[in-house]
Amino acid sequence: MLKQRIITAVLLLVVLLPALFAAALWPFALLVLLMIGAAGWEWGRLNGLGSGAALALGGLIAAGGLAAYALGWPDMAQGGAWWFATAAWVLGGAWILRRGVAGWPSLSPSLRWLLGAVLLWGVWLAMVAAKARGVNFLLSVFTLVWAADIAAYFGGRAFGRRKLAPAISPGKSWEGVWSGMVGVLLLAAAWIALDRFTGQSVSSLYSQLLERLGFVGLAVALLFLTAMSVVGDLFESLVKRSAGAKDSSALLPGHGGVLDRIDALLPVFPLALALCSL
């Protein structure tokens, strides 16, 4: 399993890095759109669609992304759109997590398919808009989620006592959440210091939030972002558990599916852009 993970990670980096550092926006936009289309296929399968229909759902999401890119939407999306997406995640996420695993299948299948398409299309649009702000900004958002996840894993293993949502994800604990928040705060401090050392003082998410909100506002915003990454993770776990699936698919050997890798990013990218519009 470890060997598979390493090989898969190396191959993904080989594909991602040229698109990430390309001067033009379109290589990154198309690569991420391919992944989002695959995630759409996984979403359809998890929500009762057959292979052909699930593939069509992924294709529809990809087509929507191409249309949005052709119309210039990643450059046109303003703070109001990101705040609307954030409000939908906060209210909708709280509602569905409160309903629990049994509540998800009670929603109509067409509503679940539409919801997945909108969420995945929205995170693609947010990722491309973040890339348009610069690689430093994009990577700072990615690493926020990664730092929260890694710190939560080790903090939960070391200190975890109180379960966060045992019916949805039995391994998660409140202590893991607090550890993830501490990890993000430490990462932000290090990144801001590096931004200033390299002369890129306002190009990352952390430095932009510090400039707009001050130290206290930065800390509150980062805690909010970390909490929403947990919401995204729990939401995907709820969908998988309702479908009786351990992973969203086996597309990434050793890592599960694409949804398993981007679940925490779904609410974080729109929120990050919303906060930077203040």
Side-chain angles (χ1 to χ4, degrees):
M1 180 67 73
L2 179 60
K3 183 179 179 180
Q4 280 185 325
R5 283 176 174 265
I6 293 173
I7 294 174
T8 302
V10 170
L11 291 176
L12 288 173
L13 282 175
V14 169
V15 174
L16 177 62
L17 288 178
L20 189 64
F21 290 100
L25 185 59
W26 68 263
F28 177 80
L30 290 182
L31 178 60
V32 174
L33 190 58
L34 178 63
M35 298 177 63
I36 292 298
W41 170 76
E42 293 174 345
W43 180 272
R45 299 270 292 181
L46 289 172
N47 287 280
L49 288 178
S51 296
L55 190 62
L57 179 63
L60 181 64
I61 296 170
L66 289 174
Y69 189 83
L71 293 170
W73 285 10
D75 294 321
M76 295 164 53
Q78 301 298 315
W82 305 127
W83 278 115
F84 177 81
T86 295
W89 263 108
V90 171
L91 299 176
W95 179 74
I96 197 61
L97 292 178
R98 184 178 179 84
R99 287 173 62 90
V101 175
W104 181 248
S106 67
L107 300 179
S108 70
S110 57
L111 178 60
R112 285 182 277 144
W113 303 331
L114 177 61
L115 180 62
V118 172
L119 292 179
L120 290 170
W121 178 84
V123 77
W124 171 82
L125 188 67
M127 285 185 185
V128 178
K131 172 64 165 62
R133 286 174 172 259
V135 173
N136 194 15
F137 183 88
L138 178 71
L139 289 178
S140 63
V141 181
F142 275 125
T143 53
L144 181 150
V145 173
W146 298 339
D149 187 53
I150 293 169
Y153 174 79
F154 286 105
R157 284 178 63 89
F159 310 112
R161 297 292 183 274
R162 295 173 298 163
K163 296 299 182 182
L164 175 63
I168 298 174
S169 185
K172 289 183 173 57
S173 66
W174 281 105
E175 290 79 7
V177 174
W178 310 139
S179 298
M181 290 179 173
V182 171
V184 168
L185 292 174
L186 293 175
L187 173 67
W191 203 297
I192 289 169
L194 183 62
D195 278 347
R196 293 183 174 181
F197 178 76
T198 58
Q200 302 186 59
S201 57
V202 292
S203 61
S204 71
L205 169 67
Y206 310 116
S207 293
Q208 289 190 30
L209 291 179
L210 177 61
E211 182 184 44
R212 286 167 168 76
L213 306 176
F215 283 105
V216 174
L218 169 66
V220 172
L222 292 178
L223 296 180
F224 187 18
L225 283 159
T226 306
M228 291 310 297
S229 76
V230 176
V231 170
D233 195 322
L234 286 175
F235 175 59
E236 197 243 357
S237 295
L238 180 149
V239 173
K240 288 191 298 185
R241 188 166 286 272
S242 70
K246 180 179 182 296
D247 297 316
S248 57
S249 76
L251 285 177
L252 303 175
H255 290 274
V258 177
L259 273 173
D260 296 322
R261 305 275 67 82
I262 67 170
D263 51 6
L265 298 171
L266 297 177
V268 168
F269 264 97
L271 174 56
L273 292 167
L275 290 169
C276 286
S277 71
L278 291 172

